[in-house]
Amino acid sequence: MTVGLITPEPDHPLLAATTALLKGEHRVVALHPETAELDVLGPLADVYLLKSRTPRALALARALESRGAEVVNSARATELCQDRTFMAERAGQAGLPFSPTHTFDSLTDLAAAGRPMPPLVVKSRHSRRHDLVARVDSRARLAELAGTWGDEPVVAQRFAENNGYDHKLWVIGGTVFSALRRSELAPEGRGPTLPLAPGELPRGWVELAVRVGEVFELDVYGVDVIDTGDGTPLIVDINAFPGIRGQAGAPEALAALALRRARKAVAAV
């Protein structure tokens, strides 16, 4: 089998470890999404792993899909998970515990609206590197942010009281991995990632993580969940193909998923 990696970082720890597992019997090729020629892609791999969310990466994935390639996650699912308004709407329709979300054309519009009232979590509508994610406890803080991010399309969510830690849940082909990390919204700022076995999660959280993939049509993804009390989960973010660093068994799960999808694609031809 030939496995393609759509990524600018084939040496990312997860991808490098997965490549090492595959290379004995299979071929692994990397496509840099920012430099690949969309009209000169050569023979198709049996499956591609889309580990990038830039516009060029999505265009490359779509070009491959148009030729019949199997891409994990699909370009469509990856792109939709970058839109936090869509994310909240889809989660709500599916009955997932997701924070009620208000969308504004700009942060300036939110500051002028007067509703919802702080405390809020304000985020860029479109998820990307170095986007806006901030806790806002006063109208003055909102006005301060508008001075820098005034034109940014944003979503606003009521801040939900919690213990200050994000439960990082990652899923690869139905296998759940987990860790604990102090939230970037905590007064002390983001902390290190701490080990947390899936068996230590509150009841129903593993099933919740798997359900997210079904709803958003994702095979490799992350779900950030906070505990709002007595194990009550609130989903605060969903990411297509996150880093998943330091999780024992994750490279094996990704290699198995890639081969499973590759064999399925070959059998369908």
Side-chain angles (χ1 to χ4, degrees):
M1 296 292 180
T2 300
V3 178
L5 307 178
I6 303 174
T7 178
E9 299 177 300
D11 57 348
H12 181 285
L14 175 63
L15 297 181
T18 301
T19 297
L21 291 169
L22 292 169
K23 269 196 167 178
E25 300 180 29
H26 308 279
R27 181 168 175 253
V28 180
V29 296
L31 286 176
H32 194 303
E34 307 308 315
T35 59
E37 297 289 340
L38 299 186
D39 54 350
V40 190
L41 294 175
L44 291 179
D46 297 300
V47 67
Y48 292 89
L49 303 180
L50 177 55
K51 181 69 179 75
S52 180
R53 292 174 281 175
T54 66
R56 281 282 300 182
L58 293 171
L60 175 56
R62 285 196 186 90
L64 291 165
E65 289 171 339
S66 72
R67 293 179 55 193
E70 184 79 4
V71 180
V72 178
N73 302 292
S74 72
R76 176 181 177 276
T78 299
E79 183 174 40
L80 289 177
C81 268
Q82 292 179 282
D83 185 336
R84 290 185 168 114
T85 297
F86 166 82
M87 188 186 303
E89 291 173 351
R90 173 67 69 89
Q93 290 164 0
L96 296 174
F98 200 96
S99 180
T101 299
H102 305 268
T103 301
F104 294 86
D105 290 337
S106 70
L107 185 54
T108 298
D109 288 347
L110 169 58
R115 290 286 187 276
M117 294 292 291
L120 300 172
V121 177
V122 178
K123 304 176 183 179
S124 296
R125 172 173 177 170
H126 300 288
S127 174
R128 62 192 187 278
R129 284 192 178 189
H130 311 303
D131 60 358
L132 171 64
V133 178
R135 177 173 172 173
V136 174
D137 289 307
S138 67
R139 305 301 297 181
R141 173 59 175 156
L142 195 56
E144 178 185 348
L145 284 174
T148 304
W149 294 87
D151 294 332
E152 180 80 357
V154 296
V155 297
Q157 302 164 337
R158 289 286 299 174
F159 177 78
E161 293 296 335
N162 62 90
N163 62 5
Y165 283 83
D166 290 339
H167 294 75
K168 309 291 291 187
L169 309 184
W170 299 287
V171 184
I172 303 175
T175 300
V176 178
F177 303 87
S178 58
L180 198 63
R181 182 186 298 164
R182 191 174 66 222
S183 170
E184 62 189 308
L185 302 178
E188 306 89 344
R190 176 175 288 177
T193 300
L194 306 174
L196 180 71
E200 300 177 82
L201 293 168
R203 181 178 303 219
W205 283 32
V206 168
E207 293 79 6
L208 173 63
V210 173
R211 174 65 178 148
V212 167
E214 297 169 352
V215 170
F216 286 88
E217 302 176 12
L218 297 168
D219 291 288
V220 185
Y221 57 98
V223 187
D224 291 352
V225 185
I226 59 174
D227 186 342
T228 58
D230 299 323
T232 301
L234 185 68
I235 298 171
V236 295
D237 208 359
I238 300 167
N239 296 289
F241 221 129
I244 319 180
R245 297 173 183 266
Q247 294 296 304
E252 289 80 2
L254 185 56
L257 171 65
L259 293 179
R260 190 161 63 246
R261 293 291 293 272
R263 293 184 181 115
K264 180 180 178 181
V266 170
V269 175

